[in-house]
Amino acid sequence: MNIDWLKETIKRIVKQKKTQEASILLQVENENLSRFAENRITQNTTRHRINLYVKVCHERRSGQAETSDVSSRGVLSALRKAEAAATASPKDPEFIALPGKQHYLKVERFFPQTAELPVDVKARVIREITAEAASRKMKAAGIYRSGDYALLVANTKGLVTEHRWTQAEFSITAQTADSTGSAVAEEENVAKINPQALAIEAFRTAEMGRNPKELKPGTYKTLLTARAFGEIMPFVIYQMDRRAADEGRSFFTAKLDKKILSKKISMVADPQTPTNPGNPIDLYNDGVARKEAAFIQEGVLTNLWTMRYWAKRQRIPLVSPSFNFSMVGGTRSLDQMIKRIDRGLLVMHLWYIRYVNPMELILTGTSRDGLFLVENGKIKRAVKHMRFNDSPMRFLRNPLSMGVPERRGGAMMLPSVLVSDFNWASTTTF
Amino acid sequence: MKELAERAVETARLAGADYADVRVLTVHDQQIYVQDLSPKAIQDMTDAGIGVRVLKDGAWGFASISRHDKRSAEKVAREAVAVAKASALTVWKDKVTLAPEPAHKDRFETKVKIDPFSIPIQDKLAILLQINRTMLGVGGIVKAFGTMRATLRHQFFASTEGSQIETLITTVNASYMATAAGKGDSQTRTFQEYPMNKGWEHILAQKLEENARRIAEEAVAKLSAAYPAEGKMDLILNPSHLSLTIHESVGHATELDRVLGYEANFAGTSFVTLDKKAAKFRYGSDIVNFVADNNLPGGLASTGYDDEGVACQRWDIIRNGIFKNYSSTREVAPLAGYKRSFGSARADSYASMPINRIPNLSLMPSPKSISPDDLAADVKNGVWIEGRGSWSIDQRRLNFQFGGDMFYEIRNGKKARMLRDVIYTSITPEFWGAVDRISGRKYWEARGFRNCGKGEPMQVAQMTNGGPWIRVRKIKVLRGKK
C-alpha cells in the first residue's frame, strides 16, 4: 500500500460516493514483539495488520466505517456503511467540513535497519541478556519490539499524504528475591538502542534495591528521573483541552497567558525536533498538518490544544493535540542531580498513574523498580515502595533543579526534576 | 472460516510445529458517541484476520495477518513456525508443556433475544441525544457525554489436537456522564457502563432515559457537597464500585501468569505467590467467598471456550476467606500443579496471542436477606460509596487507592449528607479481612469491564466482576483535594 494506491482509491471514491465529502485513513503495521520473562522468550508475536477508516460527510452529517478488507470491494463496502451511518444521523450542530489540501512538515522517521531487524537477531540478544541475568541470580523479563508503520490519508477535497516510520523498543525488568530494576528505550532507529547497556542499568538498580526498608509516608525532597517525569506529563497534556478550559471544567480554566509554573518550565510540540521527531499528521483533526506549538513558555501557559470545531467557533488558531513534545531542562546528569540532595528520595519509575482530582490535576500512582533514600548526595539505601498523591501543577511551580532532557516513550524529550516536597501518601509492603 | 483454519493448522504441522492452533476471526463493532447534542461519532467497524500460534521445540511462535484467504493462512502458519524457531534459541530449559484438554468439536453462541445490530442507528442516537438533552436541561450542567456499543465476535478455533470450535459472542453496553461546573469546581456523575454478553434487551432493561435527570442533578449537587473528614472509618460499597476493587485486588492478583513472573516487565507480578496455596493463605474474612464462573449467564467471559479451546468452567478462588485457586492458561496451569487449565486464555483480536485473563469473578452474596441499609445500621461514622472513580494499585496488587462516583456520609446508622472527592486506601488482604457484613442475593449485580489492559503488545479483555454490597471496617479515608 503506497501513495499511488491511496490516490487511486480516493479517485474511485470520488466516483462512487453518494455524499458530499469523503476521506480515507489507512493504517499499516508490520511488527514483531519478542517478549521474555523468567529468562526465556515467553511470547513472540508477529503482526501484519491493515485497517482502513472511511469517513463521509453530507448535509452536516457524518458517519464512519472501518475495515481490514482493502480490496476494491472492501473499500466500497466500508464507504456504503459509512454513508448508512451518516444517513442515520441527525444534523450535527457541531459539524465541520473536511479540511482541504495541506502542507505537511517534512519528518524523516523511517530506518530500514529497524524495519528489517530479524527475529532471530533479537532472540540472540535476549539469550545473551537472560544468560547474564541468570549468572547474577536474577530473573529478567522484557520486550524487544521492532516494526514499520504507515499512515496514508486522503480526502475528496484534495488532502493527500502519507507518513512512514519505524520504531524499536527494548525494555527489561530484572528481579531479585526482594527488588526489581528496569530500563527502557524506544527509538525510530534501532541503532540508537543498546539493549546490553539497558540490561546493565536494570541489573544495577535491582542490585541497589535489595533489602528495602520502610520509610514513613510524608513530603520528601524527591528526584523524579526523566522516565518517571515522562510518565506524569501525558496526564497534563491530556487535560490541556481548550474546550474543557473554556467550559470551566479543567485546571486550565482562565489560565491562558498567565504564569502558572516556574520560569524553568517550557514545553513545545514540534514534529520536526531533530532529537524528538513526531508524526506530522494530526489524526484527531481529520488529517490536518501539525504545526509547531508552544504550550508553556517560561512558565506561562501560551496554548491549549483544540479540535477543529472549537477553534472555528471560538475563532482561534487550531492547535493540534499531541503527546509528542519537548521540554527545556538543565545541564546536569542524574548522578549530578543526586549530588544536590541533602536528604530525599530518588524514584526511578512510576506505575498506575491516575487522576484523583482533574480540577487540581492531582494524580496518584506508586513508585516501581527502585525507590531510594538519598543522603548527603549519595544513595544510602532502598526504600519500600510508596504511593504518591500530588499535582505536577503544584510541584512544577518551584522545582529545585532540572537535569539534561532525555527522550522518553519515543515521543517526549524531558528532564529529570528535583522537587522540594513531593507528597508520598502511603506505603506498600515491598 | 473452517477451511482457512484447517489449512493453517495443516501448514503449520507440515512446517514442523509440534503443536499449532489457529483462530480465524471477524469482529463487527458498532460504536456511537454523543457529546452534548452533537453525534460525534457513528462508527461501523469490521476487523478480520487469522492468528496462528505454534509450539516448536518447547517455544512459542505467533504470526497474524488481516486477511481471510488461503495464501495468507499458509503464509502466517509458516511464519509462526519460523518465529518459534527463533524463540527456541532462548529456551534451554523450562520448555512449554500444555496442560491436557480433550479435543472439542462444538459451537457456542451468546443467547440473544434482540439482535443489537437490528436496532436502527437512528433509534440508538435518539436515545443518547434525548438523555443528553435532559441532562443539559438541568441548571449547572456544562457537558454531557453518551455512548453505546454492540460487538459480535465470530471466531473459528482449530488445533493440531483436533479441536474445532466456532463461537459467536455478542456484547452490548451503554453509559453516559454529566459534568457540572461552578463555584470554582467541576464534578461529574456517570450512569456507569454495565456491559454484558446479551442482546439489545440488556440495554432496554437498564432504564437509561429514566435515570438521566437524576444523574445530572446529582452532578450539580456534588458541587455543593461537603468534603470528607480524613481518618479511618467504615465503608459501605455498592456492586458497581466494588466490581473495580474486586477486579484490581483479587482478579489480577490471582492470575497465575503474573504469579509466575510472565508480566514482570509490564502489568506486574502478584503477592499471591505459589506457596500461598499450600499455606492456606488468609485473603479475607470468613464471609469472603470468590467464585470464578465462565459459564455465568451473560458474563463477559462466558464464551463456551477460551481462546485456546479449553471449555469454560466454575471454580473457587477464595473460600471462607482462604485462598484456593488461580486463573490459568494451558501453559501456566501445570507450573502450579494443576492437571487442567481453568480456561482463562484470551486474545483481544486475531493479531494477539492469548494470555492469562481474569475470568468472570464474583464475590458471593450472603445467604441472608441483608439490605444495604442493614449494612449501614450500626455504622457510627462512615462513608457510603457508589460507582467507580479514580483507581490505582501497586504492581504486586497490595497497596491500592480508589475513589468513587457518588458519596454520602453515614452518621449513626443512617445515610446522611452528600460528600465529594472521597478516596480510600488499603492493603489487599487487610481490606478483605475487614469485610464484616455482605448483602443478600437480591442486591448482587454482575458488573463488568470491556477495557482491561494487560500484556505486551497491550491487549484489552472483557470480564464480569459481580458482587453484592459490602461493609468494610476502619479503612483509611482521604480527601482527594488539597
Side-chain angles (χ1 to χ4, degrees):
Chain A
M1 302 293 159
N2 54 25
I3 198 86
D4 295 333
W5 177 90
L6 185 70
K7 285 175 181 169
E8 278 308 306
T9 304
I10 201 70
K11 256 191 217 168
R12 218 167 44 242
I13 283 179
V14 167
K15 287 181 194 156
Q16 294 168 329
K17 71 179 171 63
K18 296 174 181 173
T19 51
Q20 290 163 335
E21 299 175 1
S23 71
I24 53 173
L25 161 67
L26 186 78
Q27 287 185 326
V28 183
E29 171 188 357
N30 292 296
E31 178 184 276
N32 171 266
L33 188 149
S34 302
R35 193 176 196 207
F36 56 102
E38 300 292 286
N39 293 341
R40 62 186 168 83
I41 290 179
T42 50
Q43 283 179 40
N44 210 335
T45 302
T46 297
R47 290 173 158 175
H48 305 288
R49 197 165 191 171
I50 292 175
N51 290 88
L52 178 76
Y53 303 84
V54 179
K55 178 177 177 179
V56 300
C57 300
H58 191 69
E59 295 178 344
R60 302 186 67 80
R61 299 171 167 89
S62 60
Q64 292 146 50
E66 178 195 342
T67 182
S68 45
D69 180 358
V70 292
S71 66
S72 303
R73 210 173 56 180
V75 175
L76 180 61
S77 169
L79 176 67
R80 294 290 177 253
K81 283 181 181 173
E83 287 170 347
T87 306
S89 171
K91 286 190 177 176
D92 181 357
E94 298 188 1
F95 176 82
I96 188 147
L98 292 173
K101 193 173 178 179
Q102 302 284 307
H103 298 284
Y104 294 92
L105 297 173
K106 269 197 156 180
V107 181
E108 184 49 66
R109 295 174 68 211
F110 192 94
F111 294 85
Q113 61 268 44
T114 305
E116 292 157 12
L117 186 65
V119 65
D120 61 318
V121 169
K122 285 187 279 193
R124 286 190 171 85
V125 170
I126 292 168
R127 181 171 65 179
E128 180 194 334
I129 284 168
T130 52
E132 176 64 23
S135 75
R136 292 170 184 249
K137 297 190 170 23
M138 292 186 189
K139 287 178 176 175
I143 61 163
Y144 200 172
R145 171 174 72 90
S146 58
D148 64 276
Y149 312 84
L151 282 172
L152 294 92
V153 188
N155 71 28
T156 53
K157 292 173 79 175
L159 185 156
V160 179
T161 190
E162 71 169 334
H163 180 61
R164 292 179 183 274
W165 74 101
T166 51
Q167 202 143 36
E169 180 182 4
F170 183 85
S171 69
I172 177 166
T173 301
Q175 297 170 270
T176 73
D178 62 355
S179 67
T180 54
S182 63
V184 59
E186 194 174 343
E187 292 286 347
E188 286 85 356
N189 183 356
V190 69
K192 285 188 175 179
I193 296 177
N194 184 340
Q196 288 80 2
L198 291 165
I200 295 297
E201 185 184 332
F203 296 149
R204 195 179 295 150
T205 308
E207 195 58 53
M208 285 195 307
R210 285 182 192 266
N211 196 21
K213 298 279 191 299
E214 191 170 320
L215 197 66
K216 197 177 167 191
T219 55
Y220 287 89
K221 188 179 282 184
T222 299
L223 175 55
L224 300 159
T225 59
R227 181 183 183 193
F229 188 41
E231 286 157 344
I232 283 178
M233 285 309 290
F235 289 84
V236 176
I237 300 279
Y238 184 77
Q239 286 290 317
M240 296 180 91
D241 172 1
R242 175 68 187 260
R243 183 172 186 174
D246 289 348
E247 290 177 342
R249 52 190 175 90
S250 154
F251 169 85
F252 296 101
T253 294
K255 290 192 171 74
L256 256 179
D257 299 323
K258 291 186 178 160
K259 187 167 180 300
I260 58 168
L261 300 175
S262 157
K263 229 181 152 180
K264 294 173 188 164
I265 309 294
S266 291
M267 185 169 80
V268 174
D270 176 6
Q272 283 188 313
T273 306
T275 50
N276 186 28
N279 175 11
I281 308 169
D282 177 356
L283 294 177
Y284 300 97
N285 279 307
D286 295 312
V288 301
R290 267 185 69 197
K291 297 189 178 89
E292 179 185 350
F295 286 91
I296 298 169
Q297 286 181 302
E298 296 188 343
V300 176
L301 181 67
T302 48
N303 268 306
L304 294 169
W305 55 259
T306 56
M307 304 301 277
R308 294 175 64 233
Y309 164 72
W310 199 250
K312 188 179 174 191
R313 192 191 121 148
Q314 302 293 83
R315 296 180 182 173
I316 52 176
L318 180 73
V319 177
S320 295
S322 175
F323 292 91
N324 166 226
F325 64 89
S326 303
M327 293 184 75
V328 170
T331 54
R332 294 185 184 90
S333 68
L334 191 68
D335 287 343
Q336 288 168 328
M337 295 282 280
I338 291 169
K339 281 182 185 154
R340 294 172 64 83
I341 302 172
D342 46 357
R343 187 171 193 271
L345 290 168
L346 165 66
V347 57
M348 306 301 289
H349 173 26
L350 292 172
W351 163 248
Y352 220 132
I353 300 174
R354 290 291 182 275
Y355 296 106
V356 173
N357 185 325
M359 284 301 284
E360 295 187 356
L361 244 164
I362 296 174
L363 305 174
T364 192
T366 70
S367 59
R368 182 170 175 174
D369 303 337
L371 180 64
F372 299 100
L373 179 67
V374 179
E375 285 184 349
N376 303 320
K378 286 184 180 161
I379 291 174
K380 192 178 178 196
R381 63 174 166 82
V383 172
K384 286 190 178 178
H385 287 290
M386 291 203 276
R387 165 173 303 288
F388 73 90
N389 282 324
D390 211 334
S391 169
M393 297 295 100
R394 186 198 67 77
F395 66 70
L396 290 178
R397 283 205 294 261
N398 190 24
L400 296 174
S401 184
M402 300 174 82
V404 182
E406 297 171 20
R407 194 162 197 232
R408 288 286 153 193
M412 300 174 281
M413 278 294 284
L414 31 66
S416 57
V417 181
L418 180 59
V419 178
S420 62
D421 54 351
F422 195 70
N423 182 36
W424 294 101
S426 60
T427 190
T428 190
T429 63
F430 60 95
Chain B
M1 278 182 156
K2 182 173 184 280
E3 202 181 333
L4 285 178
E6 286 172 342
R7 177 68 65 104
V9 164
E10 184 59 11
T11 304
R13 195 184 63 75
L14 290 172
D18 301 322
Y19 166 85
D21 59 36
V22 176
R23 289 176 301 111
V24 181
L25 189 61
T26 300
V27 178
H28 183 200
D29 198 18
Q30 185 190 71
Q31 298 186 25
I32 303 172
Y33 298 97
V34 172
Q35 181 188 143
D36 297 338
L37 300 179
S38 167
K40 277 285 167 235
I42 306 160
Q43 299 169 332
D44 187 305
M45 298 174 274
T46 305
D47 194 23
I50 305 168
V52 181
R53 183 179 74 151
V54 307
L55 268 178
K56 172 74 182 158
D57 298 330
W60 286 118
F62 180 88
S64 61
I65 191 162
S66 51
R67 296 179 71 100
H68 274 188
D69 61 74
K70 285 179 192 167
R71 213 166 71 177
S72 298
E74 291 168 358
K75 173 183 169 350
V76 285
R78 281 192 288 269
E79 191 169 9
V81 175
V83 172
K85 285 177 181 170
S87 300
L89 291 171
T90 68
V91 180
W92 52 86
K93 63 182 181 70
D94 300 331
K95 295 189 178 205
V96 174
T97 308
L98 300 179
E101 177 70 14
H104 301 281
K105 296 208 173 190
D106 202 358
R107 185 176 189 278
F108 178 89
E109 188 167 356
T110 303
K111 283 181 185 155
V112 170
K113 287 182 186 162
I114 308 168
D115 178 4
F117 295 98
S118 73
I119 306 300
I121 289 172
Q122 289 95 321
D123 295 4
K124 294 170 179 169
L125 270 168
I127 293 169
L128 290 173
L129 287 169
Q130 182 52 46
I131 287 168
N132 278 11
R133 202 170 288 117
T134 301
M135 294 198 295
L136 290 166
V138 173
I141 295 296
V142 296
K143 201 88 219 150
F145 292 103
T147 181
M148 217 175 258
R149 185 176 175 193
T151 310
L152 172 63
R153 189 179 196 265
H154 184 189
Q155 176 170 287
F156 194 92
F157 172 92
S159 75
T160 47
E161 293 173 342
S163 276
Q164 292 198 337
I165 302 162
E166 185 178 20
T167 50
L168 290 101
I169 309 301
T170 302
T171 308
V172 295
N173 63 280
S175 68
Y176 54 86
M177 181 172 83
T179 302
K183 302 174 188 170
D185 195 10
S186 163
Q187 292 284 339
T188 61
R189 179 77 169 114
T190 309
F191 187 87
Q192 294 198 327
E193 191 179 38
Y194 192 174
M196 293 206 81
N197 284 355
K198 285 187 176 177
W200 182 248
E201 66 277 7
H202 177 59
I203 301 294
L204 294 178
Q206 289 183 66
K207 300 189 173 17
L208 295 172
E209 290 168 280
E210 291 89 327
N211 284 288
R213 175 162 287 277
R214 175 181 63 82
I215 290 290
E217 287 172 348
E218 288 175 351
V220 175
K222 281 171 81 176
L223 288 174
S224 309
Y227 293 103
E230 294 193 324
K232 288 205 170 180
M233 54 190 85
D234 300 339
L235 303 179
I236 306 290
L237 306 176
N238 86 336
S240 169
H241 174 87
L242 193 61
S243 58
L244 190 53
T245 317
I246 292 169
H247 182 91
E248 301 290 356
S249 69
V250 182
H252 281 306
T254 55
E255 290 168 328
L256 185 51
D257 67 334
R258 294 179 66 115
V259 174
L260 295 170
Y262 283 46
E263 286 284 339
N265 188 59
F266 180 60
T269 58
S270 171
F271 74 96
V272 194
T273 44
L274 288 181
D275 55 306
K276 288 193 166 53
K277 189 167 184 299
K280 299 185 178 173
F281 174 71
R282 179 158 286 284
Y283 211 113
S285 63
D286 285 345
I287 59 171
V288 169
N289 290 285
F290 277 98
V291 172
D293 184 0
N294 284 343
N295 291 309
L296 180 78
L300 295 168
S302 299
T303 54
Y305 298 84
D306 73 357
D307 287 330
E308 50 182 7
V310 177
C312 286
Q313 298 159 49
R314 186 179 200 273
W315 70 102
D316 284 330
I317 300 288
I318 295 166
R319 191 191 302 155
N320 300 331
I322 303 298
F323 171 64
K324 290 288 174 188
N325 287 303
Y326 300 100
S327 60
S328 71
T329 65
R330 292 185 69 186
E331 177 182 358
V332 296
L335 302 176
Y338 293 114
K339 292 198 167 99
R340 187 190 183 197
S341 169
F342 287 113
S344 303
R346 310 277 174 180
D348 69 350
S349 80
Y350 66 87
S352 301
M353 244 180 105
I355 55 174
N356 198 152
R357 303 308 304 238
I358 300 173
N360 294 325
L361 173 70
S362 301
L363 177 65
M364 295 290 102
S366 167
K368 298 172 189 166
S369 58
I370 298 168
S371 73
D373 287 339
D374 293 338
L375 298 181
D378 63 349
V379 173
K380 281 188 184 162
N381 178 24
V383 182
W384 175 291
I385 304 181
E386 297 178 11
R388 302 170 195 150
S390 174
W391 74 101
S392 172
I393 189 163
D394 73 44
Q395 65 98 353
R396 295 190 67 202
R397 303 278 146 179
L398 282 157
N399 173 306
F400 62 69
Q401 180 175 294
F402 288 100
D405 194 47
M406 197 69 199
F407 315 96
Y408 297 93
E409 199 171 45
I410 305 170
R411 282 278 172 205
N412 300 319
K414 299 278 182 210
K415 197 167 131 184
R417 62 180 180 162
M418 189 184 284
L419 300 173
R420 61 175 149 171
D421 295 326
V422 177
I423 49 176
Y424 69 89
T425 184
S426 189
I427 298 288
T428 295
E430 291 172 16
F431 175 85
W432 291 108
V435 174
D436 78 336
R437 213 160 184 218
I438 291 176
S439 73
R441 179 161 297 280
K442 183 180 171 187
Y443 302 97
W444 187 93
E445 290 180 23
R447 295 285 174 160
F449 303 88
R450 296 197 69 176
N451 58 348
C452 172
K454 185 181 170 185
E456 294 173 292
M458 168 72 98
Q459 298 190 44
V460 289
Q462 60 181 49
M463 65 288 293
T464 290
N465 295 138
W469 291 66
I470 65 166
R471 182 172 69 200
V472 205
R473 296 290 197 184
K474 292 185 180 166
I475 299 297
K476 188 177 175 186
V477 169
L478 299 167
R479 176 175 153 163
K481 181 181 167 66
K482 280 285 162 195

